[in-house]
Amino acid sequence: MIVVQKYGGSSVATTEKIAAVAKRVAERAKEACVVVVVSAMGDTTDELISMARQLSSMPEDREMDKLLATGEQASSALLAMAMHDLGIRAVSLTGGQAGIITERTAGRARILKIDVKRLREELNKQNVVVVAGFQGITENASWADITTLGRGGSDTTAVALAAALKADSCEIFTDVDGVYTADPRIEADARKLDTISYEEMLEMAGQGARVMHSRAVELGELYDVDILVANSTKDVPGTVIKKEDDEMEVRNPVRGIAHDTDVTRITVAGVPDQPGIASRLFATLAHSNINVDVIVQNVGTEGLADVSFTVQDADLEKAKKAIGPVTSEIEAREVVVDQNVAKVSIVGSGIRSNPGYAEKMFTAFAAAEINILSITTSEIRITCLIARNQVKNAVRALHRAFELEKA
Ligand code: ASP
Ligand code: MG
């Protein structure tokens, strides 16, 4: 039996915590071949980034990747040492040594393939294999460079290794107990879910639930890897992200409430109501690599319309710069920025096949006197943009309206 476990940065933040993880892994290693993926200790990655910025205004991609990869290399070596002290055979490997081949794209390289030869050999030698997360290597042997997979990428490393090794279990350990029906810090009655489907998890993550790296969930779906998310310090069951369960869909169509306060609404007012305008506006945003969400255009009057969309707070300045030339070319009347907004969403695969969810959501908002600024939907999600200071009320109102506190 092969088990892939991953421990996040907060679970290996200190040497004491690494020692505790070593004990947990040792327990698991009694009954299975274990591959452990680790993140960098605590805030190491942020600290490395900050050091790079202190020394260089534009650190080169190649050096940045090499620098950031060291965080996970340190934690993996330390965990292997802690295992040795418990009398467990263990070996630590970098992503490259573990056979993880990626494209060259700096900072967010995608995995191209995994050559599991070395991993299998080490497992055959009865070693626990500790792999540095969040990194790989480019293909060309003599010119190979170290790459990183993007922030939070150790989750992706773990799921990719589980897929490549056809592991029996993929376990992501973190500082929360699993995936909840809503943020437990906001909704005291939030309930931990036993299971959630890949697509529901992706929608929850995309709308602000920060439990797992989206790319890891996508990979799990692609290779049909069941992913357990659980607490690294407790012995309580977590949440399994897996293929849709039909029966469950019928019983509980709304699985969770996601919220995201990290949004800014930009309105380009008074743009010509004619073909090609939206395309020019959003093309410049796409070229600047800015993700846009909740797009609304009102019905034009006298040949003019208003176009609104949301971006992440961090992208605001970049977005304003990107649309500047276009808005002056098309002689838009003004650009209005509103940071007092937030998104609140209901997510559930049952939404697809059952009418009435939008109505129930809007009624709950009306009863709580929450004004809806705009609405977007996917097949399995309805998202409303509301005032940021009403987020907590909104989450609680929806949690109650959809009776999510009941199992
Ligand atoms: N250490 C990296 C980060 O903080 C990768 C990870 O933790 O998964 O983003
Ligand atoms: Mg981290």
Side-chain angles (χ1 to χ4, degrees):
M1 175 159 116
I2 299 180
V3 174
V4 175
Q5 296 195 323
K6 180 251 170 178
Y7 291 89
S10 55
S11 307
V12 293
T14 62
T15 49
E16 289 80 22
K17 287 184 173 183
I18 292 177
V21 166
K23 281 201 189 118
R24 279 179 77 107
V25 175
E27 270 310 302
R28 203 76 168 104
K30 283 183 189 159
E31 51 187 40
C33 299
V34 185
V35 174
V36 190
V37 175
V38 284
S39 285
M41 296 171 72
D43 296 328
T44 303
T45 308
D46 290 324
E47 285 156 14
L48 292 171
I49 291 172
S50 133
M51 279 196 270
R53 297 231 168 100
Q54 285 167 37
L55 291 168
S56 164
S57 55
M58 269 258 269
E60 267 183 34
D61 291 342
R62 181 184 178 280
E63 307 307 333
M64 201 65 183
D65 271 347
K66 187 157 171 283
L67 175 69
L68 297 191
T70 63
E72 272 71 6
Q73 291 179 17
S75 54
S76 59
L78 288 168
L79 179 57
M81 292 175 196
M83 309 257 4
H84 296 158
D85 242 48
L86 297 174
I88 307 279
R89 298 174 61 104
V91 60
S92 73
L93 301 177
T94 66
Q97 287 174 317
I100 300 174
I101 310 293
T102 75
E103 50 179 26
R104 196 167 275 277
T105 328
R108 53 184 166 84
R110 279 174 305 184
I111 297 172
L112 297 174
K113 62 177 179 201
I114 299 182
D115 177 357
V116 293
K117 222 168 69 208
R118 172 94 189 254
L119 279 171
R120 287 218 185 276
E121 240 166 67
E122 300 292 356
L123 289 173
N124 284 341
K125 285 192 269 179
Q126 312 293 310
N127 276 316
V128 167
V129 188
V130 187
V131 179
F134 159 72
Q135 59 187 276
I137 199 166
T138 56
E139 180 131 46
N140 190 325
S142 51
W143 287 94
D145 277 323
I146 295 172
T147 52
T148 59
L149 309 182
R151 297 306 305 269
S154 298
D155 289 343
T156 302
T157 302
V159 177
L161 289 178
L165 289 166
K166 299 192 171 50
D168 300 277
S169 181
C170 177
E171 305 164 358
I172 307 286
F173 291 108
T174 169
D175 50 5
V176 296
D177 290 355
V179 183
Y180 279 78
T181 50
D183 186 336
R185 285 166 303 184
I186 290 184
E187 171 56 66
D189 289 331
R191 191 169 42 83
K192 188 176 64 199
L193 296 164
D194 297 333
T195 66
I196 186 167
S197 71
Y198 299 112
E199 58 169 353
E200 287 168 333
M201 189 65 237
L202 284 170
E203 292 279 10
M204 292 283 283
Q207 294 305 318
R210 309 197 197 290
V211 184
M212 245 190 102
H213 204 217
S214 291
R215 266 167 65 191
V217 181
E218 276 164 9
L219 208 58
E221 182 168 29
L222 203 58
Y223 290 94
D224 203 5
V225 178
D226 289 6
I227 305 166
L228 169 75
V229 180
N231 196 307
S232 63
T233 58
K234 297 186 206 160
D235 231 350
V236 294
T239 302
V240 180
I241 308 168
K242 61 198 236 340
K243 236 198 236 135
E244 177 79 71
D245 180 338
D246 283 335
E247 259 182 294
M248 192 175 315
E249 176 189 25
V250 173
R251 284 206 297 270
N252 193 5
V254 172
R255 305 285 284 149
I257 315 293
H259 72 278
D260 192 354
T261 51
D262 178 23
V263 288
T264 296
R265 179 171 63 164
I266 300 176
T267 304
V268 185
V271 303
D273 192 11
Q274 64 196 39
I277 297 294
S279 133
R280 280 169 69 187
L281 209 51
F282 291 105
T284 64
L285 290 163
H287 285 149
S288 307
N289 225 335
I290 296 168
N291 278 322
V292 176
D293 199 9
V294 200
I295 302 170
V296 179
Q297 176 171 342
N298 70 351
V299 179
T301 49
E302 290 166 20
L304 292 177
D306 299 341
V307 180
S308 304
F309 54 91
T310 60
V311 298
Q312 289 196 311
D313 283 343
D315 283 339
L316 173 60
E317 290 311 316
K318 224 165 83 179
K320 281 205 299 205
K321 225 194 239 156
I323 60 172
V326 183
T327 51
S328 51
E329 261 171 57
I330 59 178
E331 295 180 347
R333 193 176 62 239
E334 57 176 340
V335 175
V336 185
V337 171
D338 186 356
Q339 295 214 271
N340 179 31
V341 294
K343 292 187 291 186
V344 178
S345 311
I346 58 172
V347 173
S349 55
I351 291 172
R352 173 165 34 216
S353 47
N354 295 283
Y357 286 93
E359 184 265 335
K360 198 166 182 176
M361 183 178 193
F362 305 157
T363 304
F365 279 168
E369 292 187 29
I370 293 165
N371 188 34
I372 301 169
L373 303 171
S374 43
I375 303 157
T376 50
T377 63
S378 82
E379 275 205 299
I380 65 162
R381 165 178 60 81
I382 304 173
T383 299
C384 291
L385 197 69
I386 64 170
R388 199 176 285 186
N389 55 14
Q390 289 184 311
V391 163
K392 288 184 179 167
N393 278 343
V395 170
R396 290 176 192 140
L398 294 176
H399 205 266
R400 232 173 300 125
F402 290 98
E403 299 181 36
L404 291 175
E405 71 281 8
K406 294 185 195 141

